Amino acid sequence: GFRNGFVYGVKIRLPHALVMTFLFHEGSLREKLLFILRATFQHAKNLAFFVTIYKSLLYLLWRLSGRGHPVHNFLSAFVGGYFVFGENNKVNMQINLYLLSRITLGLAK
């Protein structure tokens, strides 16, 4: 969980940060590279911690109830999202906007 979340975060953020930084950010090459690395690490760390919290809570709820229930997924994701993506920074804002669009689209269907 943790490792896979981190690797996926790097795979998603690194190309995005690379392109967006060189297109829209001003500064020296060193400043741009540091920004790319910081954004990539933040994204990867957030996804890794979210997966860890989500899967741990899901397992705990399953053990407590003796069986799985769809509300367990919702509760685990809600708690994980609150603690991981609740911090106000640029990476979390982008993730939250992406999730809002996915939820809105899902509700519209």
Side-chain angles (χ1 to χ4, degrees), residues 27-53:
S28 68
L29 180 61
R30 177 182 162 84
E31 290 170 341
K32 289 179 181 182
L33 290 175
L34 283 174
F35 178 80
I36 292 167
L37 290 175
R38 279 191 209 108
T40 301
F41 179 75
Q42 179 72 44
H43 192 124
K45 182 184 77 162
N46 285 355
L47 288 181
F49 280 118
F50 175 79
V51 168
T52 302
I53 292 170

Side-chain angles (χ1 to χ4, degrees), residues 35-74:
F35 178 80
I36 292 167
L37 290 175
R38 279 191 209 108
T40 301
F41 179 75
Q42 179 72 44
H43 192 124
K45 182 184 77 162
N46 285 355
L47 288 181
F49 280 118
F50 175 79
V51 168
T52 302
I53 292 170
Y54 174 77
K55 286 191 172 187
S56 298
L57 284 175
L58 201 58
Y59 178 74
L60 179 67
L61 291 170
W62 177 77
R63 292 290 290 175
L64 290 174
S65 69
R67 62 186 174 91
H69 194 276
V71 76
H72 294 168
N73 294 317
F74 174 78

Side-chain angles (χ1 to χ4, degrees), residues 1 3-5 13-15 20 22 27 33 36-37 52 55 62 64 72 74 79 82-83 85-86 88-89 100 105 109:
R3 181 197 157 281
N4 291 344
R13 178 53 73 169
L14 185 62
M20 298 303 282
F22 281 105
L33 290 175
I36 292 167
L37 290 175
T52 302
K55 286 191 172 187
W62 177 77
L64 290 174
H72 294 168
F74 174 78
V79 171
Y82 177 79
F83 284 110
F85 301 118
N88 189 17
N89 60 48
L100 176 63
L105 183 64
K109 288 186 175 183

